[in-house]
């Protein structure tokens, strides 16, 4: 009797990774030339590791983790970098006339035939994740003698200026490698830190900085000069901070970076913020808002006038939430104008202004000019001073919806912050309609997350907030999360709606404690509460919530 092979989608349903409804949704959304596995990954229904484990069962081909794999680097000469990158293959070992390769798609028979003809070996295959293969290609190719020579040479910093623009020079390859590796690891920032005897390259992945590589001190000047050339900065100026932007394609990946230099005692430090245009979340429903908070936030931004503030420290996802709100409000019937520093993401149908203090274009000046342009909705990148705050308040009182950000620790202290800036309490009370405080916490890795019993302290902490907890998910560390136990981030929020009673308290100059008491009566979900609810859902851990939010 002939055995019928199950389709991949059915296997994934059988494995309990997705529901039949999710499979049907994917099949209806899937483009003709895209594989079902890729669509499931894009929608975030499964992880790449889970897909590989199902493929292993379906195809009978073993899977392998390339994390810490002992590569035989002499085999990399058998397969060119172009072939490896195009087909996502990497050679592992040679046995007689057989070559073992790791492949992201072991069903790509054209690639297997190509490899057999170009290498002269019989091809044996194992499955590895796409990210693992790309990381290995970036790490082991381009490690040529030129690069070793540059590292060893004492006059690297005296290299010819031509080598800084020659695409085949070792320093250009090194910089490309640093940029591409950061994009592959989904880093948000690249830090190049000059120290007394070395230069340290660090990546911020999921909000945590870690060292990626250490380079000799003699490479510092040439490395920084190359970065400055890419960002169109003055390479002869080392004494003052500079800002620029890099837009390049590395290995077919469009990379957009915001660059900042800072003179330190050991040389110029460079920090690059990676603006990943492909993954910008412009849908409010995908921003992990709690249902109650989401409905409150939507009602705030759908009001015709008033100020809605989003608060939190740098790197807490405020811009993403603002852009998602603007995207929801954006239509041909409204005139939306923003003034930002800098304009990170370009939004179609919205007029965006770049702040430039050198020519007098400040937030306040930009905001005053906007009000003469008949806007319906105004977004101010940040309220930093009294002038901007007062102009924003006046704009909201004359019938405009104003969205902005503020740097405070929680939602309620934003009210005091505006008063401290010099805005009259009665104006704050009249203009402000609501405040959202936001933080980002790391998500438990879906590939290595395990259920654990909560500790006594955790049970007490949940009980104090009126919640019960039976199990807490924690990642034990695996190749896909770089042994951290966390992969990706999720936002936690608190939304405070300013109602009539709160307006009365603000006008009377009442304390933060009184305002907080009223917020509790209004059933506000505070940052810690939202964080603990996400711990309960298995998304994050209590350690992460306590890292970013302090329980009262």
């Amino acid at each position: 009797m002939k055995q019928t092979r199950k389709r991949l989608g059915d296997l994934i349903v059988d494995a309990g990774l997705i529901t039949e409804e999710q499979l049907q949704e994917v099949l209806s959304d899937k483009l003709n030339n895209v594989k079902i596995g890729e669509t499931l990954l894009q929608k975030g229904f499964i992880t790449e590791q889970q897909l590989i484990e199902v493929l292993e069962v379906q195809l009978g081909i073993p899977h392998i983790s390339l994390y810490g794999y002992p590569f035989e680097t002499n085999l990399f000469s058998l397969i060119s970098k172009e072939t490896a990158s195009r087909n996502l293959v990497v050679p592992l070992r040679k046995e007689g006339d057989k070559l073992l390769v790791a492949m992201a798609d072991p069903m790509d028979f054209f690639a297997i035939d190509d490899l057999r003809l170009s290498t002269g070996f019989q091809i044996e295959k194992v499955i590895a994740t796409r990210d693992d293969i790309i990381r290995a290609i970036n790490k082991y190719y381009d490690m040529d003698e030129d690069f070793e020579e540059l590292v060893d040479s004492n006059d690297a910093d005296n290299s010819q200026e031509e080598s800084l623009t020659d695409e085949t020079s070792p320093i250009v390859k090194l910089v490309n490698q640093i940029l591409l590796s950061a994009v592959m690891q989904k880093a948000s920032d690249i830090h190049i830190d000059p120290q007394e005897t070395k230069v340290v390259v660090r990546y911020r992945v999921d909000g945590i900085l870690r060292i990626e590589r250490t380079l000799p001190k003699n490479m510092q000047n040439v490395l920084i000069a190359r970065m400055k050339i890419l960002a169109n900065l003055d390479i002869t100026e080392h004494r003052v901070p500079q800002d620029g932007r890099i837009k390049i394609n590395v290995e077919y990946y469009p990379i957009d970076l915001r660059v900042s230099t800072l003179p330190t005692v050991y040389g110029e430090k460079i920090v690059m913020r990676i603006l990943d245009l492909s993954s910008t979340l412009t849908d409010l429903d995908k921003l992990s808002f709690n249902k109650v908070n989401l409905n409150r936030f939507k009602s705030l931004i759908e009001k015709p006038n008033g100020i809605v503030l989003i608060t939190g420290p740098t790197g807490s996802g405020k811009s993403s939430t603002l852009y998602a709100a603007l995207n929801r409000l954006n239509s041909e019937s409204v005139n939306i104008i923003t003034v930002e520093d800098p304009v990170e993401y370009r939004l179609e149908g919205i007029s965006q202004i770049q702040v430039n203090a050198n020519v007098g274009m400040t937030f306040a000046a930009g905001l005053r000019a906007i009000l003469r342009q008949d806007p319906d909705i105004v977004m101010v990148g940040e309220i930093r001073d009294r002038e901007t705050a007062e102009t924003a308040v006046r704009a909201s009182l004359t019938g405009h919806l104003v969205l902005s950000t503020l740097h405070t620790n929680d939602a309620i202290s934003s009210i005091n912050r505006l008063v401290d800036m010099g805005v009259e309490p009665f104006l704050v009370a009249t203009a402000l309609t609501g405040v959202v405080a936001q933080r980002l916490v790391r998500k438990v890795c879906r590939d290595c997350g395990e259920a654990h019993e909560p500790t006594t302290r955790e049970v007490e902490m949940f009980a104090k907030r009126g919640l019960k907890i039976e199990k807490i998910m924690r990642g034990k560390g695996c190749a896909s999360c770089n042994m951290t136990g966390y992969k990706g981030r999720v936002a936690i929020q608190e939304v405070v709606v300013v109602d009539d009673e709160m307006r009365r308290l603000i006008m009377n100059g009442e304390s933060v404690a009184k305002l907080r008491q009223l917020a509790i009566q209004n059933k506000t979900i505070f940052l810690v509460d939202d964080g603990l609810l996400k711990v309960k859902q298995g998304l994050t851990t209590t350690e992460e919530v306590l890292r970013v939010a302090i329980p009262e």
Side-chain angles (χ1 to χ4, degrees):
M1 183 180 156
K2 191 183 174 191
Q3 189 181 1
T4 55
R5 179 183 262 179
K6 280 198 168 182
R7 290 177 307 174
L8 180 62
D10 297 328
L11 278 167
I12 293 171
V13 172
D14 291 349
L17 299 174
I18 61 169
T19 63
E20 186 63 45
E21 292 76 45
Q22 286 173 321
L23 175 62
Q24 294 311 320
E25 182 191 327
V26 167
L27 289 171
S28 61
D29 291 356
K30 186 173 80 70
L31 300 169
N32 287 337
N33 56 348
V34 178
K35 295 181 178 128
I36 186 166
E38 284 179 32
T39 312
L40 284 164
L41 288 175
Q42 282 166 6
K43 286 189 169 285
F45 288 158
I46 59 170
T47 68
E48 201 170 359
Q49 192 64 36
Q50 289 168 335
L51 176 62
I52 279 179
E53 283 164 13
V54 173
L55 279 173
E56 183 179 31
V57 172
Q58 188 195 28
L59 304 173
I61 298 170
H63 85 272
I64 190 169
S65 165
L66 301 183
Y67 186 86
Y69 188 87
F71 285 98
E72 296 175 27
T73 46
N74 58 325
L75 294 179
F76 285 82
S77 59
L78 291 172
I79 301 172
S80 71
K81 186 179 180 186
E82 288 69 35
T83 306
S85 301
R86 188 176 65 246
N87 298 318
L88 290 176
V89 296
V90 66
L92 300 177
R93 66 171 181 268
K94 191 171 68 173
E95 285 174 7
D97 67 339
K98 289 179 181 163
L99 179 67
L100 181 70
V101 297
M103 302 185 75
D105 180 7
M107 301 300 286
D108 189 344
F109 298 114
F110 292 112
I112 294 164
D113 276 351
D114 273 358
L115 291 176
R116 189 167 49 78
L117 292 168
S118 61
T119 62
F121 287 94
Q122 290 300 315
I123 304 298
E124 300 260 306
K125 55 202 185 215
V126 291
I127 315 174
T129 66
R130 181 190 170 88
D131 285 355
D132 260 4
I133 290 174
I134 291 171
R135 209 172 291 151
I137 291 170
N138 293 334
K139 190 170 179 183
Y140 292 100
Y141 281 97
D142 285 350
M143 285 292 169
D144 51 22
E145 291 98 46
D146 294 346
F147 179 63
E148 298 299 329
E149 222 174 274
L150 180 69
V151 171
D152 296 336
S153 70
N154 293 319
D155 61 347
D157 50 358
N158 301 323
S159 306
Q160 310 276 302
E161 198 168 311
E162 293 83 66
S163 70
L164 296 173
T165 51
D166 177 6
E167 288 299 317
T168 60
S169 76
I171 191 65
V172 171
K173 285 182 181 175
L174 171 67
V175 169
N176 286 354
Q177 219 177 3
I178 289 171
L179 298 182
L180 187 60
S181 184
V183 172
M184 289 293 109
Q185 293 183 42
K186 297 187 168 54
S188 59
D189 302 86
I190 305 169
H191 288 237
I192 294 170
D193 295 331
Q195 296 179 5
E196 191 173 2
T197 57
K198 60 190 177 196
V199 180
V200 176
V201 178
R202 295 189 293 170
Y203 293 164
R204 189 181 290 280
V205 180
D206 292 338
I208 306 292
L209 269 175
R210 55 181 175 74
I211 293 176
E212 170 67 12
R213 61 171 78 193
T214 304
L215 299 169
K217 185 72 174 173
N218 64 327
M219 292 185 67
Q220 178 177 314
N221 291 353
V222 68
L223 179 66
I224 286 168
R226 172 62 186 162
M227 297 289 190
K228 284 178 154 186
I229 284 171
L230 285 174
N232 288 325
L233 301 177
D234 182 355
I235 64 169
T236 61
E237 181 56 79
H238 309 288
R239 298 158 302 170
V240 294
Q242 296 185 67
D243 289 308
R245 197 160 180 155
I246 297 176
K247 267 192 161 182
I248 55 168
N249 280 331
V250 180
E251 303 287 333
Y252 313 111
Y253 280 90
I255 299 177
D256 198 350
L257 304 136
R258 209 173 76 213
V259 183
S260 165
T261 74
L262 184 72
T264 71
V265 288
Y266 295 125
E268 284 178 286
K269 173 182 167 72
I270 291 189
V271 175
M272 291 175 276
R273 163 66 55 92
I274 299 173
L275 307 172
D276 185 357
L277 305 179
S278 61
S279 70
T280 51
L281 285 169
T282 49
D283 185 350
L284 269 184
D285 298 314
K286 290 182 182 160
L287 286 182
S288 68
F289 266 96
N290 174 304
K291 269 187 188 155
V292 176
N293 281 345
L294 181 61
N295 290 334
R296 284 179 178 173
F297 184 54
K298 281 180 179 172
S299 72
L300 288 176
I301 62 171
E302 281 160 8
K303 287 184 176 168
N305 60 323
I307 296 181
V308 179
L309 291 177
I310 299 180
T311 82
T314 308
S316 58
K318 299 190 297 293
S319 299
S320 297
T321 306
L322 270 181
Y323 283 128
L326 287 179
N327 207 50
R328 183 182 177 82
L329 299 168
N330 190 9
S331 72
E332 61 180 40
S333 60
V334 291
N335 178 18
I336 303 177
I337 309 181
T338 75
V339 53
E340 305 168 59
D341 181 24
V343 175
E344 286 191 11
Y345 302 108
R346 317 285 204 261
L347 296 173
E348 205 173 321
I350 292 176
S351 309
Q352 293 170 280
I353 302 170
Q354 169 76 53
V355 165
N356 185 350
N358 297 334
V359 295
M361 174 58 89
T362 60
F363 276 121
L367 188 48
R368 280 198 302 274
I370 286 173
L371 295 177
R372 294 193 287 274
Q373 291 276 320
D374 180 33
D376 297 292
I377 297 164
V378 177
M379 191 266 265
V380 185
E382 190 186 333
I383 294 179
R384 293 178 183 168
D385 52 43
R386 177 180 178 171
E387 194 183 357
T388 312
E390 286 186 338
T391 315
V393 165
R394 275 200 294 276
S396 73
L397 294 175
T398 51
H400 304 93
L401 176 65
V402 180
L403 304 176
S404 189
T405 69
L406 201 63
H407 284 259
T408 57
N409 289 330
D410 60 14
I412 288 170
S413 40
S414 306
I415 296 163
N416 273 19
R417 179 97 175 84
L418 288 173
V419 174
D420 291 344
M421 276 183 181
V423 183
E424 292 293 338
F426 74 89
L427 285 175
V428 174
T430 317
L432 198 63
T433 53
V435 188
V436 180
Q438 182 167 306
R439 298 286 187 283
L440 291 177
V441 291
R442 291 183 292 168
K443 282 163 79 175
V444 173
C445 173
R446 284 166 65 180
D447 290 326
C448 63
E450 294 175 338
H452 288 261
E453 286 283 314
T455 63
T456 314
R457 183 167 173 267
E458 283 172 331
V459 172
E460 286 170 3
M461 201 167 116
F462 274 81
K464 194 179 168 190
R465 324 286 301 190
L467 298 167
K468 271 188 178 178
I469 185 78
E470 284 161 18
K471 63 181 175 65
I472 285 179
M473 293 297 285
R474 281 193 175 83
K476 65 172 191 277
C478 65
S480 67
C481 63
N482 261 323
M483 308 312 279
T484 58
Y486 296 101
K487 190 171 185 186
R489 287 191 288 177
V490 65
I492 59 172
Q493 295 102 345
E494 68 184 33
V495 179
V496 171
V497 178
V498 179
D499 59 5
D500 292 340
E501 180 60 24
M502 192 167 278
R503 286 197 173 92
R504 193 179 61 76
L505 294 181
I506 297 168
M507 280 188 196
N508 294 343
E510 296 287 2
S511 66
V512 171
K514 279 264 177 73
L515 295 171
R516 179 175 292 282
Q517 203 55 49
L518 180 61
I520 292 168
Q521 284 172 30
N522 291 344
K523 295 190 166 51
T524 300
I525 298 168
F526 292 102
L527 279 173
V528 174
D529 300 319
D530 194 28
L532 294 182
L533 288 169
K534 279 169 182 148
V535 172
K536 206 172 156 128
Q537 289 168 24
L539 291 174
T540 186
T541 62
T542 41
E543 293 87 349
E544 273 298 291
V545 175
L546 294 176
R547 183 173 67 82
V548 300
I550 305 159
E552 306 78 31

